Amino acid sequence: MKAIRIAILDMYDNARNEGMRCIRQLLARSAEENGARFRVDTFNVRAENELPGLDYDIYVSSGGPGSPLPSGELWEPRYFRLIDAILAHNKTSEQKKHLLLICHSFQLVSRHLGVGTISRRKSTSFGVLPVHFTPAGKAEPTLRGLADPFYVVDSRDYQLADLNTRRIEELGAKILCLEKERPHVPLARAVMAIRFTPEVLGTQFHPEADGEGMLRYMLTDERKHQVITTYGEAKYHEMVRLLADPDTIEYTESIILPTFLRRALAQLGQLTAA
């Protein structure tokens, strides 16, 4: 059996995180469940200016800290050249490259492709929060099986809003999800997921988040103190309660990234059906 080559684009800039653990855990689980062979390589994009070539089948670009606005750093134009190369390859090649963009990566690529405005939020969005489908989201195979709304781990200071509908139509992109409804707040609802192309999916939230592992992390004294100090005791206890509920983050984790990988394997000829 052919080994599927997977590139993890580590966008955490050497910051401590749970995301990379969760991504690797889901890749290992997917390989076992689908009887596939994965060769996984990790590229430290922001800290080491490491980027893969086009010789991978699947790319997973992680979340990360900091601003998604233009940085002037060396890695940024190289990262966008890779994104453009994947998109160009998929237009002409039968053997597609599949790309998942998570949180910080989603913001970067949304800015690069001009689908809307990336701006700083009035306040940080942090917690286990509901996400609502658009009509396109209800028809999106990667999200099938999720409730409306479904729950996600959200952690961001920036958002995508003020959409460029003409550019979205040019790309053939579909807006899949929006953040929670806030009828008392006179602000645009941020976009939470986009199907950029048939092979490229982006989420503002963290679909890789592991409910059990995140709960274990949240219960450590260090993280408990950080969250309570920054967001208050009520927010902390709400997160712990929702993380402990198997119908929230644990369920979201079991659907989105595994389905993305299964559909990629099917298109690559490694499964009989998606």
Side-chain angles (χ1 to χ4, degrees):
M1 177 183 291
K2 172 192 171 185
I4 298 297
R5 301 193 71 200
I6 301 178
I8 302 175
L9 308 181
D10 177 355
M11 305 296 285
Y12 279 100
D13 202 19
N14 287 344
R16 183 179 177 186
N17 69 90
E18 290 290 299
M20 294 298 292
R21 174 189 65 81
C22 293
I23 290 168
R24 293 190 178 105
Q25 177 177 277
L26 280 167
L27 290 176
R29 188 184 304 163
S30 176
E32 181 178 355
E33 290 176 351
N34 294 297
R37 288 178 56 220
F38 288 170
R39 174 184 163 182
V40 180
D41 296 318
T42 301
F43 297 84
N44 192 342
V45 177
R46 295 169 67 188
E48 301 293 339
N49 197 22
E50 295 177 347
L51 282 151
L54 269 183
D55 51 341
Y56 288 84
D57 303 298
I58 299 171
Y59 299 77
V60 179
S61 193
S62 79
S67 168
L69 301 179
S71 68
E73 295 176 358
L74 292 176
W75 63 268
E76 191 170 299
R78 296 187 65 218
Y79 178 79
F80 290 139
R81 282 197 294 271
L82 173 64
I83 300 302
D84 290 341
I86 291 171
L87 294 173
H89 170 92
N90 286 343
K91 288 181 178 179
T92 58
S93 176
E94 187 175 334
Q95 192 82 337
K96 308 297 185 183
K97 308 290 183 181
H98 297 263
L99 169 63
L100 179 66
L101 302 158
I102 297 171
C103 195
H104 190 80
S105 298
F106 168 81
Q107 294 172 349
L108 286 168
V109 173
S110 294
R111 170 171 67 82
H112 176 64
L113 294 179
V115 298
T117 301
I118 299 290
S119 60
R120 194 173 187 96
R121 291 175 54 84
K122 296 285 187 185
S123 60
T124 299
S125 179
F126 176 79
V128 176
L129 301 172
V131 167
H132 296 262
F133 286 125
T134 65
K138 291 178 181 179
E140 165 61 38
T142 309
L143 305 179
R144 192 169 295 144
L146 292 169
D148 187 11
F150 61 97
Y151 283 83
V152 303
V153 170
D154 193 25
S155 178
R156 57 194 166 92
D157 292 315
Y158 292 81
Q159 66 179 16
L160 170 65
D162 300 323
L163 296 176
N164 183 338
T165 54
R166 180 177 294 180
R167 180 61 176 146
I168 290 168
E169 289 173 4
E170 286 176 1
L171 291 167
K174 304 290 184 184
I175 307 302
L176 304 179
C177 305
L178 300 173
E179 69 179 336
K180 65 181 180 179
E181 296 174 341
R182 300 171 298 168
H184 57 290
V185 178
L187 297 172
R189 292 168 70 192
V191 174
M192 297 301 288
I194 297 178
R195 168 61 71 183
F196 289 98
T197 74
E199 301 80 28
V200 180
L201 176 69
T203 68
Q204 174 64 86
F205 55 88
H206 288 270
E208 81 282 11
D210 164 19
E212 181 183 350
M214 292 291 290
L215 177 61
R216 190 166 54 247
Y217 176 55
M218 197 62 59
L219 291 173
T220 64
D221 289 341
E222 179 185 5
R223 188 57 174 157
K224 179 178 180 179
H225 176 73
Q226 286 175 342
V227 173
I228 290 176
T229 300
T230 306
Y231 302 103
E233 194 164 348
K235 170 66 76 173
Y236 173 78
H237 289 299
E238 178 193 36
M239 283 196 70
V240 168
R241 177 182 65 80
L242 288 169
L243 285 170
D245 183 344
D247 293 327
T248 60
I249 299 309
E250 187 177 327
Y251 191 68
T252 300
E253 179 213 9
S254 75
I255 296 287
I256 298 177
L257 212 158
T259 306
F260 167 82
L261 292 169
R262 191 165 60 250
R263 287 175 58 80
L265 289 171
Q267 198 281 325
L268 293 165
Q270 299 299 301
L271 290 179
T272 56

